[in-house]
Amino acid sequence: MTTAVAVSKKTLYVIGLPVVLIALWWACTANSSSYYFPSLGKIAETFGSTWLTTDRLTNDVLPSMARLAAGYALCVALGTGLGMFLGLHRRARATAEPVLEFFRAIPPPVLIPVLMIVAGIGDGMKVLVIVLGAVWPVLLNTVEGVRAVDEVLSDTSRSYGITGIARIRYLVLPGASPQIIAGMRQALSISIILMVISEMFASSSGLGFTVVQFQRGFAIPQMWSGIIVLGLLGFLLSLAFGVFERRALGWYHGLLQSQPGEK
Amino acid sequence: MRATHSEPITAFDSPGRDSETDAAQRRPVAADRGPGIRNLPDSVFGVGGVLAFAALLELLPRMGVLPRAYFPPLSEMLAALIGLLGRSSFWTALFDTVRGWGIGLAIAVAAGIIIGFLISTSAQLIRITASTIEFLRPIPSVALIPLAVLLFGTDIRSTLLLVVYASFWPILIQVLHGVQDINPVARDTTASYGFSRWAVFRYLIWPTALPYLMTGVRLSASVALVLTISAELIIGSPGLGTEIARSQSSNATADVYATVIVTGVLGIVVNILVRSIERRVLSWHASMRKDVSA
């Protein structure tokens, strides 16, 4: 009985404000005659006919997701690999650091026109934009994480003769993973932004392209439904990342909780 | 990003965990200092890296390894850069970008501080708003581009809408985290000494949350720059992003690269600026708080 009350109270906290806000949006625009702010009912109607019953899902959403996935996977692999190397080799790090710092400081969207010159406007360019823009948080966090690996653990594994691949697999990678995953989270939101921008800037398919087409054609309810799709996409990916993070770092959060003094 | 940890923050900086690991890494190297290359300090390697990279950028296009039409040699990029510096349109664009960044960041910081502290006044409010914040925060701000174009056209307000939306969340989250970090003993102490609400805020809540807030400002400052330039690039509101798009469509390749270099320098200047503000504002603080990744 008490648990049921607690659960319902908790659900109320979670959905209370969103429901109120959506209801407000609905009520405020219900009789809307404003051209730019159609009623939420109309947007919901359009949402179905625009995204669910046409082939947009396969023609626009899936290519976008594929580019995002490819770019993100590459940037995580590249960032962790190179970050491991730089984190373990002091001289290499000292040599590369100023150049890397400069590249990190460049706002990634400016790379889109540059890469268009080099790689055209195909999928390759968009994947390249995502990789070049989102690799930095992963790379720099990996470097920092590898450098901060516990000294005692490091010496212990060395005296037990754990070297080479095993050392990276069982000491360096897990030790740096909290930092790496923090970098991956930043990289994910940058990747989404770059995916959308690169499609808005130059493309013939994809979510960003479609939404801008709607806006240019003054298809306002469709445009709103596109904005909602982009929002949902960002939200769902961040939710999925949260699940991944809890699984991958469960041991770490447990460790932090068991040592309350050392935060 | 924990890059700050390795550098001394203040004169009172306590030897924290990270400076210890740094020292531990330095020791063995200092011990086996022999003749030759190992004697050189890190900065020499850094300069060497930059020079090697510059040489590659100069030589690869000249030798034809990289297509010269797409990758002008570094000297041509720098010549184009000097050309840009002499043009008034460049300075106007730079000013527009910096203005959009500054105003947007200022609005986001003010809104984040006010709303963050308001929500933090009650545990109820924190619980009620948590799900909404978690839902709104990951929405990519670029999704708002079409709306911004419709409402404001290429006006600076288009840029501001995107910049404020994107840089508001890190500030808000950091303020919320910061207020939760208040020491319960200190809170009880202020209560038993009968501090007024304002005094509790001024002498307990604000100083506790300030390091977190500054981390938020640092994150938001670079996010704001990215969004300012994205908005210019896509929407065409005046600024460096528009200049890049214009040079690219008129095939002025060297100009494109020159402007990209300028945005990189701008990014570095923004970082240095925010870091120095952070150091000044937190000069009383013994050590930096652990960054909360946003």
Side-chain angles (χ1 to χ4, degrees), chain A residues 63-96:
Chain A
S64 287
M65 297 301 293
R67 292 191 274 253
L68 179 65
Y72 187 63
L74 267 174
C75 96
V76 169
L78 206 68
T80 338
L82 198 58
M84 288 280 167
F85 174 77
L86 292 180
L88 293 172
H89 296 86
R90 190 182 139 80
R91 290 307 186 196
R93 184 170 71 236
T95 309

Side-chain angles (χ1 to χ4, degrees), chain B residues 71-94:
Chain B
F71 270 114
L74 183 64
S75 53
E76 279 177 32
M77 295 184 197
L78 294 179
L81 180 60
I82 291 169
L84 276 187
L85 297 181
R87 261 180 260 159
S88 67
S89 63
F90 165 78
W91 293 104
T92 323
L94 182 63

Side-chain angles (χ1 to χ4, degrees), chain B:
Chain B
M1 274 179 260
R2 310 207 329 171
T4 40
H5 282 270
S6 45
E7 59 191 46
I9 305 300
T10 68
F12 312 107
D13 195 13
S14 60
R17 215 186 63 202
D18 291 282
S19 37
E20 270 168 15
T21 50
D22 255 11
Q25 282 188 336
R26 233 169 268 136
R27 235 176 283 127
V29 177
D32 64 12
R33 269 196 179 171
I37 198 165
R38 280 173 181 275
N39 263 334
L40 297 170
D42 278 0
S43 52
V44 174
F45 283 87
V47 172
V50 172
L51 290 180
F53 186 71
L56 276 183
L57 279 187
E58 178 68 31
L59 290 178
L60 289 183
R62 281 199 190 282
M63 295 189 316
V65 181
L66 293 171
R68 198 166 170 168
Y70 302 153
F71 270 114
L74 183 64
S75 53
E76 279 177 32
M77 295 184 197
L78 294 179
L81 180 60
I82 291 169
L84 276 187
L85 297 181
R87 261 180 260 159
S88 67
S89 63
F90 165 78
W91 293 104
T92 323
L94 182 63
F95 173 76
D96 281 331
T97 299
V98 172
R99 188 180 57 168
W101 171 80
I103 298 177
L105 185 63
I107 296 175
V109 170
I113 289 177
I114 293 171
I115 296 175
F117 281 115
L118 276 182
I119 291 178
S120 304
T121 51
S122 108
Q124 289 285 82
L125 267 179
I126 294 179
R127 292 184 68 180
I128 291 173
T129 52
S131 63
T132 309
I133 293 174
E134 279 312 303
F135 179 74
L136 291 179
R137 185 165 67 117
I139 293 179
S141 48
V142 286
L144 300 175
I145 286 181
L147 185 65
V149 174
L150 281 184
L151 291 179
F152 306 122
T154 59
D155 199 79
I156 188 177
R157 283 175 294 173
S158 287
T159 313
L160 289 183
L161 178 68
L162 300 184
V163 174
V164 171
Y165 187 87
S167 41
F168 168 72
W169 300 108
I171 310 261
L172 179 70
I173 301 287
Q174 288 296 95
V175 170
L176 293 180
H177 278 301
V179 176
Q180 275 171 3
D181 193 43
I182 284 174
N183 186 330
V185 177
R187 168 166 286 186
D188 293 347
T189 310
T190 57
S192 35
Y193 276 81
F195 274 40
S196 70
R197 280 190 138 219
W198 167 249
V200 172
F201 177 78
R202 174 68 189 83
Y203 297 109
L204 176 66
I205 300 177
W206 177 255
T208 309
L210 194 56
Y212 286 85
L213 173 64
M214 288 316 295
T215 304
V217 172
R218 201 173 67 220
L219 290 170
S220 289
S222 45
V223 169
L225 185 64
V226 170
L227 264 296
T228 310
I229 291 184
S230 308
E232 291 163 3
L233 202 60
I234 306 285
I235 301 175
S237 46
L240 290 175
T242 317
E243 292 298 306
I244 292 177
R246 193 177 299 149
S247 311
Q248 187 251 332
S249 56
S250 63
N251 272 333
T253 311
D255 280 355
V256 174
Y257 284 99
T259 320
V260 168
I261 293 175
V262 172
T263 62
V265 173
L266 192 59
I268 289 177
V269 170
V270 162
N271 272 340
I272 294 174
L273 186 75
V274 176
R275 286 265 162 80
S276 74
I277 293 175
E278 194 176 13
R279 258 200 292 277
R280 186 160 298 181
V281 170
L282 296 181
S283 58
W284 52 273
H285 197 271
S287 64
M288 294 295 289
R289 302 272 165 182
K290 188 171 176 179
D291 287 5
V292 179
S293 64

Side-chain angles (χ1 to χ4, degrees), chain A residues 6-235:
Chain A
V7 166
S8 60
K9 211 171 169 186
K10 207 174 165 193
T11 1
L12 198 65
Y13 274 123
V14 172
I15 63 165
L17 187 59
V19 166
V20 170
L21 289 177
I22 292 173
L24 261 180
W25 185 1
W26 191 287
C28 288
T29 59
N31 301 313
S32 163
S33 54
S34 159
Y35 184 63
Y36 293 152
F37 294 96
S39 74
L40 191 55
K42 186 149 189 217
I43 295 174
E45 234 170 74
T46 327
F47 188 92
S49 62
T50 311
W51 297 99
L52 303 178
T53 54
T54 57
D55 52 2
R56 278 222 173 72
L57 215 53
T58 47
N59 286 354
D60 290 314
V61 181
L62 285 183
S64 287
M65 297 301 293
R67 292 191 274 253
L68 179 65
Y72 187 63
L74 267 174
C75 96
V76 169
L78 206 68
T80 338
L82 198 58
M84 288 280 167
F85 174 77
L86 292 180
L88 293 172
H89 296 86
R90 190 182 139 80
R91 290 307 186 196
R93 184 170 71 236
T95 309
E97 211 154 41
V99 176
L100 293 182
E101 284 293 332
F102 180 74
F103 272 96
R104 187 184 60 149
I106 296 178
V110 303
L111 297 174
I112 296 172
V114 174
L115 291 175
M116 255 175 80
I117 298 175
V118 181
I121 63 165
D123 288 345
M125 179 274 266
K126 289 172 190 106
V127 172
L128 212 56
V129 167
I130 295 176
V131 173
L132 283 182
V135 74
W136 310 110
V138 182
L139 176 65
L140 295 167
N141 275 29
T142 307
V143 171
E144 288 299 312
V146 171
R147 289 181 61 190
V149 163
D150 193 288
E151 284 291 311
V152 178
L153 282 182
S154 172
D155 290 347
T156 310
S157 70
R158 194 171 286 136
S159 30
Y160 277 92
I162 302 170
T163 52
I165 300 288
R167 184 179 158 81
I168 289 181
R169 169 72 185 80
Y170 294 108
L171 172 72
V172 180
L173 200 56
S177 62
Q179 292 258 49
I180 297 177
I181 287 179
M184 282 169 63
R185 180 177 272 282
Q186 287 178 31
L188 181 63
S189 52
I190 299 177
S191 302
I192 299 174
I193 290 180
L194 289 175
M195 183 264 283
V196 176
I197 295 185
S198 65
E199 290 174 353
M200 283 179 170
F201 192 76
S203 187
S204 52
S205 74
L207 269 170
F209 170 76
T210 313
V211 176
V212 164
Q213 277 313 98
F214 286 146
Q215 172 246 314
R216 291 197 180 133
F218 290 95
I220 307 300
Q222 283 86 343
M223 179 199 89
W224 274 99
S225 74
I227 292 179
I228 292 176
V229 169
L230 285 177
L232 281 177
L233 178 72
F235 174 69

